[in-house]
């Protein structure tokens, strides 16, 4: 899944998937005679009145500029707030833009009891993983860019024993690290749906999570996902339990792709019906599905090229 740009999904009518509000603002600033449907995905939890009210004002401004924005939420609780403010849209996770072909199950040795893909930010609560002895922290430092170096011990001294990446790791390297681990961790209390959460499962990993808001639990299955209390002992015990289950990684990946496909089908059904109602243009969902999602990165246009 890519940010800092937009997914140009269809022409005539023009349909754009938006995960970066700056991209939408740039398109709106351009003189254009073509109507555009903006499929705007929230990337952080908005399941409260104040945050959703601010989004209502933002969507109203975009509508006054002639835009046709639709809001897509990541959690059922979040979608109830969207409905409360009567913002046009639909409950469907941003996960749908992730290319499952970037991840897979590899035949490699397990080196780590757990992996936690988390930026060096307080909301990620890295200290909750401190009792796990063999752990890899797959991280990056916000604002440092791909050439910056990460300093995990400086940020979280409780994880001085952990292995971590000092520099950027691409999706191939991430997939290998995930496969070298027994369990994936998700320890924040509030964020969006957390992309790494999906990447773990597409790589065949079970997940240990704390209770959270933002939508990551929408893809959880009790067979291979465990929600624990937010303390280091509970996290360690959860990792031990999930590792002991020895769940078939291919099964986890298969079940996750089934959920992705279900949501993608719901998405194109909603979009095609919305376009039909508002323009009388008939779009076939069966044709939209591969166009939108067979090669999602091919549809992505960086913000400087919009």
């Amino acid at each position: 899944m890519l940010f800092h740009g937009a997914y140009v999904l269809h022409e005539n009518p023009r349909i754009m998937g938006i995960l970066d509000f700056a991209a939408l603002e740039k398109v709106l600033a351009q003189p254009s005679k073509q109507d555009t449907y903006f499929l705007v995905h929230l990337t952080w939890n908005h399941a409260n009145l104040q945050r959703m009210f601010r989004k209502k004002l933002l969507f109203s401004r975009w509508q006054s500029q002639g835009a046709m924005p639709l809001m897509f939420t990541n959690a059922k609780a979040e979608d109830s707030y969207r409905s409360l403010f009567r913002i046009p849209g639909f409950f469907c996770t941003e996960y749908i833009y992730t290319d499952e072909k970037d991840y897979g199950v590899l035949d490699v040795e397990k080196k780590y009891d757990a992996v936690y893909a988390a930026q060096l930010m307080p909301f990620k609560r890295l200290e909750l993983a401190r009792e796990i002895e063999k752990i890899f922290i797959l991280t990056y430092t916000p604002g440092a860019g791909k050439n910056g170096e990460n300093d995990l011990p400086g940020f979280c001294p409780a994880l001085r024993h952990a292995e971590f990446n000092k520099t950027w790791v691409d999706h191939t390297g991430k997939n290998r690290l995930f496969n070298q681990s027994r369990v994936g961790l998700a320890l924040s209390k509030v964020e969006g749906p957390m992309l790494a959460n999906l990447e773990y499962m597409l790589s065949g990993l079970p997940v240990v999570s704390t209770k959270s808001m933002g939508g990551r639990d929408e893809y959880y299955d009790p067979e291979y996902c465990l929600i624990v209390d937010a303390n280091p002992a509970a996290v360690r015990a959860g990792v031990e339990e999930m590792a002991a289950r020895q769940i078939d990684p291919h099964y986890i990946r298969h079940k996750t792709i089934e959920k992705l496909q279900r949501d993608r089908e719901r998405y194109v059904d909603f979009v095609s019906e919305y376009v039909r109602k508002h323009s009388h243009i008939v779009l076939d969902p069966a044709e939209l599905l591969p166009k939108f999602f067979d090669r999602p990165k091919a549809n992505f246009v960086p913000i400087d090229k919009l």
Side-chain angles (χ1 to χ4, degrees):
M1 189 163 58
L2 301 171
F3 300 88
H4 308 302
Y7 290 89
V8 180
L9 303 171
H10 196 274
E11 296 288 353
N12 192 30
R14 197 176 199 207
I15 302 173
M16 300 179 73
I18 300 287
L19 289 90
D20 182 346
F21 291 177
L24 192 154
E25 297 278 5
K26 183 172 182 181
V27 174
L28 282 182
Q30 300 169 357
S32 175
K33 297 180 181 179
Q34 184 178 12
D35 290 338
T36 302
Y37 295 90
F38 295 101
L39 314 181
V40 183
H41 293 260
L42 300 180
T43 57
W44 190 269
N45 173 60
H46 279 71
N48 68 60
L49 288 171
Q50 289 186 338
R51 291 184 68 88
M52 192 59 76
F53 177 65
R54 288 196 291 269
K55 284 297 177 287
K56 169 68 173 180
L57 296 178
L58 180 60
F59 272 63
S60 296
R61 176 170 66 80
W62 287 338
Q63 289 168 338
S64 72
Q65 294 175 259
M68 292 178 284
L70 299 171
M71 176 185 287
F72 291 86
T73 55
N74 295 297
K76 296 182 181 73
E78 187 175 62
D79 201 59
S80 67
Y81 284 89
R82 178 198 62 78
S83 298
L84 178 66
F85 285 101
R86 298 183 180 180
I87 303 171
F90 190 58
F91 162 53
C92 189
T93 177
E94 67 182 35
Y95 284 169
I96 57 176
Y97 287 106
T98 303
D99 191 343
E100 62 269 29
K101 295 184 290 296
D102 286 342
Y103 304 92
V105 178
L106 306 178
D107 184 16
V108 296
E109 179 186 358
K110 297 292 186 183
K111 297 174 60 177
Y112 310 106
D113 293 327
V115 60
Y116 188 20
Q119 55 187 306
L120 300 183
M121 294 285 284
F123 77 89
K124 285 294 190 177
R125 303 196 295 187
L126 285 114
E127 70 279 0
L128 293 178
R130 67 176 181 260
E131 291 193 9
I132 302 169
E133 185 175 342
K134 295 180 180 179
I135 185 170
F136 195 99
I137 304 298
L138 177 57
T139 191
Y140 69 96
T141 303
K146 291 187 177 182
N147 296 320
E149 283 204 359
N150 305 309
D151 180 13
L152 176 64
F155 178 80
C156 185
L159 285 172
R160 287 186 179 276
H161 65 285
E163 291 189 43
F164 69 100
N165 57 300
K166 287 190 175 181
T167 56
W168 182 263
V169 177
D170 63 15
H171 67 79
T172 302
K174 288 165 66 176
N175 185 219
R176 184 170 183 83
L177 281 166
F178 293 157
N179 275 270
Q180 290 174 324
S181 307
R182 300 184 188 280
V183 176
L185 297 177
L187 304 178
S188 62
K189 182 178 181 180
V190 180
E191 61 174 296
M194 183 181 167
L195 176 59
N197 186 65
L198 176 68
E199 293 171 334
Y200 295 151
M201 293 184 284
L202 289 175
S203 302
L205 265 67
V207 175
V208 169
S209 172
T210 54
K211 294 178 183 178
S212 63
M213 296 178 65
R216 70 174 179 249
D217 57 343
E218 297 288 349
Y219 265 48
Y220 283 174
D221 186 306
E223 287 187 276
Y224 48 83
C225 299
L226 184 64
I227 296 176
V228 300
D229 292 336
N231 65 73
V235 172
R236 174 180 49 78
V239 168
E240 291 170 352
E241 177 180 337
M242 295 307 287
R245 290 188 191 181
Q246 296 186 325
I247 306 160
D248 181 359
H250 294 280
Y251 175 76
I252 297 173
R253 175 176 166 82
H254 173 73
K255 294 284 284 186
T256 304
I257 291 174
E258 279 188 340
K259 292 184 173 91
L260 270 178
Q261 189 66 12
R262 174 204 64 200
D263 278 345
R264 288 166 175 167
E265 290 171 358
R266 293 172 53 246
Y267 190 69
V268 296
D269 286 345
F270 175 84
V271 170
S272 59
E273 179 62 15
Y274 187 88
V275 170
R276 185 192 65 78
K277 285 182 177 179
H278 292 81
S279 71
H280 304 296
I281 296 174
V282 177
L283 300 174
D284 184 354
E287 293 181 1
L288 293 182
L289 193 63
K291 185 176 181 62
F292 281 19
F293 300 120
D294 274 5
R295 296 173 60 242
K297 290 190 290 293
N299 296 323
F300 187 78
V301 180
I303 193 168
D304 60 337
K305 300 293 173 84
L306 286 171

